[in-house]
Amino acid sequence: MSRGYGVQFHPEVSHTRQGSQVLANFLYGICGMPGDWKPGSIVDREIARIHAAVGPGAGGGEVVLGLSGGVDSSVAAVLLQRAIGDRLHCIFVDNGLLRLGEREAVERTFREHFHMDLAVVDASERFLASLAGVTDPETKRKRIGKEFVDVFQKEAQRFARAKFLAQGTLYPDVIESVSARGPSQTIKSHHNVGGLPERMKLKLVEPLRELFKDEVRAIGRHLGLDGTIVDRQPFPGPGLAVRIVGEVTKERLDILRHADHIVTTEIEKAGAHKGLWQYFAALLPVKSVGVMGDARTYESCCALRIVESQDGMTADWAYLDRELLARISNRIINEVRGFNRVVLDVSSKPPATIEWE
Amino acid sequence: MSRGYGVQFHPEVSHTRQGSQVLANFLYGICGMPGDWKPGSIVDREIARIHAAVGPGAGGGEVVLGLSGGVDSSVAAVLLQRAIGDRLHCIFVDNGLLRLGEREAVERTFREHFHMDLAVVDASERFLASLAGVTDPETKRKRIGKEFVDVFQKEAQRFARAKFLAQGTLYPDVIESVSARGPSQTIKSHHNVGGLPERMKLKLVEPLRELFKDEVRAIGRHLGLDGTIVDRQPFPGPGLAVRIVGEVTKERLDILRHADHIVTTEIEKAGAHKGLWQYFAALLPVKSVGVMGDARTYESCCALRIVESQDGMTADWAYLDRELLARISNRIINEVRGFNRVVLDVSSKPPATIEWE
């Protein structure tokens, strides 16, 4: 007689006490799994899979990959370079929704350090135009996804021989975007699991599709990737657009970018980023009254989102030192024209999400 | 030869280190002031002033006072009752912008405990109607001020013999609203220093006009007022309307009232209110994404404003225990339908203000 096992809660989320123990008991005790996960073995397995899909030798297929500079696509790129060498072509789309200095850092790392074939496309005006007047978060994501596909597709056509598209999709993206079995409501649509491969008639290569973030980081380290990339905080595909509540404008992007840079540098300078999952600024388009000198101000509000998490599936808001928080708040209010108030997001995920949109 | 003394900064604000010492040196050392301020002597002085203005005996004038239930008007009321007994008539206008249970508490204290002549007017629908569609903070304040004057004036006409209007105006209200000498920009208009007396052809009695909050509290205690009133946190005249950024609606008032009650009770239950100047909730009409069960939420954001201050002129945001903050945040998100995110305001005054509008 076969046995069935089931749970009516979420043992896999870190908020569940003893949840890992429940899973460990099941996997090691009942199923008799060996527990022999090692970055090296995953790398070997994924290289074998890539070879099987793309072809192993010099005559194998070519692959284009959308490089964002984040952990996921960076690890995917280095993994693919390891597997297929210069048959990998990377495309970086500057959508104008990036953080300060982000594009330059990507060029430095992948072009100069890894010597990859990296095409950089500046499409910021196009993205901004398509976001004009849009306030609904899902519409923003869809517009950005569509622009990305258009820009990427056009650029990818330069690589006529490429029949494969690689993406750094992780397991949490898969869970949140598509239902494994049966209907489960879409929380957010991830444009990197969208309609790109169908339109481009490319086969999808997703070497990280079964992995969680901490596993991807371990693999990245194993592949010799720099700590500044491997330990980088996650950054959403739609970028700063989903950190500006309401309409995205050039002006709002500029002030958010400035504030976000203050958040990042102050936290890192204090060494407080160790143990943090993400730390960033968001723009809330609510005007509140303030006073500067003897004059009245009426400006937007900057929200700080600073969280601890194991895997991004659940997250706790982090409570920085008072002094550090005060320094960040004061610097933003004093240095960034357009913000006269700073708030700290003290909501856990769930029921809030890490990103505001 | 006479000596002139001047400063090019603000020694009187608590953020200025040694500022009190600068002033003390000047007042006690140079000017030779005795430093003999005592609540009793201020009470005697103000009662004498009230007698001089209104008339001391049974044949003296009658006074109407707008009682809000806050420290200022409560102390003014008890001071006036001490001076002129039942020639004082109090009017409480329920503008629908009050906190949970506030009107009932005022009735209990002043009618049942102090046996004052207290008229309570329910004008909430009228205020709400006049606020429909209004988003500008100054317009809100002006509309509320106008409604208040209309409602109050109508009610006050019942006291045909009253020729005096008493108000609990404090010195900071005077500074922020009017320029002592020369032009200084209006930060916010205080409706209680507005056009009421002119329209009603009443003479103004403001026994607290030269005092700061801490002095008013000392006087209140001296007059035997209950700690729950004397130590009450300040509450603005326009009430919850200036704690709802954007349009004020019945629905928003209800959810803010609910969240504010959670903030107040949790902080007081933990004993954390000692040393706090104000602790309250504000509603930010920015919708952000969350997840409840397996469904997506898209709700408003609740801001916590929790500050320490000596006099309301400057204020520091307070750093509550993480556990207490988390409890407040979780309760609001789980119990108040309409909020799916909570933020803590970490802005000091200046350059932010305590209230959002």
Side-chain angles (χ1 to χ4, degrees):
Chain A
M1 196 186 87
S2 71
R3 293 182 193 192
Y5 296 86
V7 288
Q8 284 282 1
F9 63 108
H10 287 278
E12 78 282 10
V13 302
S14 60
H15 282 184
T16 303
R17 287 188 204 172
Q18 317 257 4
S20 314
Q21 194 58 47
V22 170
L23 293 173
N25 288 346
F26 177 71
L27 294 170
Y28 304 142
I30 293 170
C31 303
M33 306 289 276
D36 56 356
W37 194 97
K38 284 194 184 64
S41 59
I42 300 295
V43 167
D44 291 343
R45 186 189 75 191
E46 290 304 330
I47 287 178
R49 282 189 186 175
I50 293 166
H51 284 168
V54 176
E62 302 201 356
V63 178
V64 287
L65 175 139
L67 186 67
S68 71
V71 184
D72 309 344
S73 66
S74 297
V75 172
V78 180
L79 186 60
L80 278 153
Q81 193 185 34
R82 178 77 66 98
I84 61 169
D86 58 9
R87 284 184 285 139
L88 172 68
H89 309 285
C90 294
I91 297 171
F92 177 81
V93 176
D94 182 351
N95 56 14
L97 309 169
L98 303 172
R99 289 163 295 183
L100 203 67
E102 198 156 7
R103 170 178 164 175
E104 295 75 11
V106 163
E107 290 176 323
R108 224 162 29 236
T109 303
F110 294 93
R111 199 175 272 163
E112 294 172 25
H113 180 73
F114 281 101
H115 305 291
M116 287 190 189
D117 177 23
L118 170 65
V120 173
V121 192
D122 184 348
S124 40
E125 287 189 15
R126 181 177 175 154
F127 278 83
L128 208 55
S130 98
L131 288 171
V134 178
T135 58
D136 175 66
E138 274 300 295
T139 310
K140 278 186 193 174
R141 286 180 180 260
K142 282 181 182 140
R143 295 262 176 108
I144 292 166
K146 185 190 168 299
E147 289 306 317
F148 178 80
V149 168
D150 288 351
V151 172
F152 188 87
Q153 184 174 27
K154 195 176 156 211
E155 188 65 20
Q157 281 166 353
R158 298 205 297 113
F159 308 102
R161 289 165 51 194
K163 299 287 176 257
F164 298 91
L165 174 73
Q167 287 189 330
T169 316
L170 302 196
Y171 192 56
D173 304 330
V174 177
I175 293 176
E176 282 198 5
S177 291
V178 298
S179 166
R181 289 178 202 171
S184 118
Q185 194 182 346
T186 297
I187 309 295
K188 292 174 183 174
S189 63
H190 285 263
H191 79 262
N192 55 346
V193 247
L196 193 53
E198 293 83 348
R199 270 185 58 178
M200 295 179 65
K201 303 202 172 78
L202 295 175
K203 283 185 194 145
L204 205 55
V205 179
E206 292 179 320
L208 314 178
R209 195 183 165 84
E210 293 173 9
L211 303 175
F212 284 95
K213 201 80 163 193
D214 53 340
E215 298 170 324
V216 171
R217 291 200 162 115
I219 286 172
R221 264 179 228 110
H222 178 83
L223 289 167
L225 262 173
D226 196 304
T228 60
I229 293 168
V230 168
D231 297 324
R232 239 178 91 148
Q233 46 174 329
F235 187 65
L240 298 181
V242 291
R243 294 180 179 174
I244 293 172
V245 178
E247 190 184 1
V248 178
T249 64
K250 173 122 187 13
E251 189 195 358
R252 287 180 173 178
L253 282 165
D254 286 341
I255 70 169
L256 177 57
R257 208 173 265 129
H258 187 173
D260 187 69
H261 184 67
I262 290 172
V263 174
T264 312
T265 49
E266 285 295 341
I267 286 179
E268 290 170 2
K269 205 169 69 187
H273 59 294
K274 289 156 197 153
L276 292 181
W277 174 263
Q278 276 174 287
Y279 42 103
F280 61 83
L283 182 148
L284 313 189
V286 281
K287 303 239 164 181
S288 76
V289 172
V291 54
M292 191 71 84
D294 284 322
R296 179 181 181 277
T297 62
Y298 192 50
E299 305 281 6
S300 298
C301 174
C302 179
L304 310 178
R305 188 57 164 150
I306 305 166
V307 297
E308 294 162 356
S309 176
Q310 290 303 313
D311 52 23
M313 303 288 278
T314 64
D316 279 321
W317 56 274
Y319 205 32
L320 297 186
D321 283 348
R322 192 194 191 289
E323 204 183 321
L324 177 56
L325 259 181
R327 190 157 58 240
I328 293 169
S329 166
N330 289 341
R331 280 199 60 195
I332 291 172
I333 294 174
N334 290 325
E335 296 176 24
V336 185
R337 271 288 165 100
F339 285 134
N340 68 351
R341 199 174 285 265
V342 175
V343 296
L344 174 70
D345 190 340
V346 293
S347 321
S348 287
K349 172 183 180 180
T353 48
I354 297 175
E355 300 288 344
W356 277 59
E357 290 196 337
Chain B
M1 194 185 88
S2 71
R3 294 181 191 194
Y5 296 85
V7 287
Q8 283 283 2
F9 63 108
H10 287 277
E12 78 282 10
V13 302
S14 59
H15 283 184
T16 303
R17 288 187 204 174
Q18 317 256 6
S20 312
Q21 193 60 46
V22 170
L23 293 174
N25 289 345
F26 178 70
L27 293 170
Y28 305 141
I30 294 169
C31 303
M33 306 288 276
D36 56 355
W37 194 97
K38 283 193 184 65
S41 59
I42 301 295
V43 167
D44 291 344
R45 185 189 76 191
E46 289 305 329
I47 287 178
R49 283 189 184 174
I50 293 165
H51 283 168
V54 176
E62 302 200 355
V63 177
V64 287
L65 176 139
L67 186 67
S68 71
V71 184
D72 310 344
S73 65
S74 297
V75 172
V78 179
L79 186 60
L80 278 153
Q81 194 186 33
R82 178 76 67 97
I84 61 167
D86 58 9
R87 284 184 286 137
L88 171 69
H89 309 286
C90 294
I91 297 171
F92 178 81
V93 176
D94 182 350
N95 56 13
L97 308 169
L98 304 171
R99 289 163 296 184
L100 202 67
E102 199 156 8
R103 170 177 165 176
E104 295 74 11
V106 164
E107 291 177 322
R108 226 164 25 238
T109 303
F110 293 92
R111 200 175 270 163
E112 294 172 24
H113 180 73
F114 281 102
H115 306 291
M116 287 191 187
D117 177 24
L118 171 65
V120 173
V121 192
D122 184 349
S124 40
E125 286 189 15
R126 181 176 174 156
F127 278 83
L128 207 55
S130 99
L131 288 170
V134 177
T135 58
D136 175 66
E138 275 299 295
T139 309
K140 278 186 193 174
R141 286 180 180 260
K142 281 179 182 140
R143 295 263 175 107
I144 292 166
K146 184 189 167 302
E147 290 304 317
F148 178 81
V149 168
D150 287 350
V151 170
F152 187 87
Q153 184 175 26
K154 194 176 157 213
E155 187 66 20
Q157 281 166 352
R158 299 206 296 113
F159 309 101
R161 291 164 52 193
K163 299 287 175 255
F164 298 90
L165 174 72
Q167 286 189 331
T169 316
L170 302 196
Y171 191 57
D173 304 330
V174 177
I175 294 175
E176 284 198 3
S177 292
V178 298
S179 167
R181 288 178 202 172
S184 120
Q185 194 181 348
T186 297
I187 309 295
K188 290 175 186 176
S189 64
H190 285 263
H191 78 263
N192 55 344
V193 243
L196 193 52
E198 292 83 349
R199 270 185 59 179
M200 295 179 64
K201 302 199 172 78
L202 295 176
K203 285 185 191 145
L204 204 54
V205 179
E206 293 180 319
L208 313 177
R209 196 184 164 85
E210 293 175 7
L211 303 175
F212 284 95
K213 201 78 163 194
D214 53 339
E215 298 171 324
V216 170
R217 290 201 163 115
I219 286 172
R221 265 180 229 108
H222 178 82
L223 289 168
L225 261 174
D226 195 304
T228 59
I229 293 169
V230 168
D231 297 325
R232 241 179 87 149
Q233 45 175 329
F235 187 65
L240 299 180
V242 291
R243 294 181 179 174
I244 292 172
V245 179
E247 191 186 0
V248 178
T249 64
K250 172 121 187 14
E251 189 195 356
R252 287 179 173 179
L253 282 165
D254 286 341
I255 72 170
L256 177 56
R257 210 173 264 130
H258 187 172
D260 187 68
H261 184 68
I262 290 172
V263 174
T264 312
T265 49
E266 285 295 340
I267 286 179
E268 289 171 2
K269 206 169 67 185
H273 58 295
K274 290 156 196 154
L276 292 180
W277 173 263
Q278 275 175 290
Y279 42 104
F280 61 82
L283 183 149
L284 314 188
V286 281
K287 303 240 165 182
S288 77
V289 171
V291 53
M292 191 71 84
D294 285 323
R296 180 180 180 276
T297 62
Y298 192 50
E299 306 280 6
S300 297
C301 175
C302 179
L304 310 179
R305 188 58 164 148
I306 305 167
V307 298
E308 294 161 357
S309 176
Q310 292 303 312
D311 51 21
M313 303 289 278
T314 64
D316 279 321
W317 55 275
Y319 192 72
L320 291 192
D321 283 347
R322 194 195 189 284
E323 204 183 321
L324 176 57
L325 257 182
R327 189 159 57 241
I328 292 170
S329 166
N330 289 341
R331 280 199 60 194
I332 290 172
I333 294 174
N334 290 325
E335 296 175 25
V336 185
R337 271 287 166 100
F339 284 135
N340 68 351
R341 201 175 284 265
V342 175
V343 296
L344 175 71
D345 190 339
V346 293
S347 320
S348 287
K349 173 183 180 180
T353 47
I354 297 176
E355 300 289 343
W356 277 60
E357 289 197 337

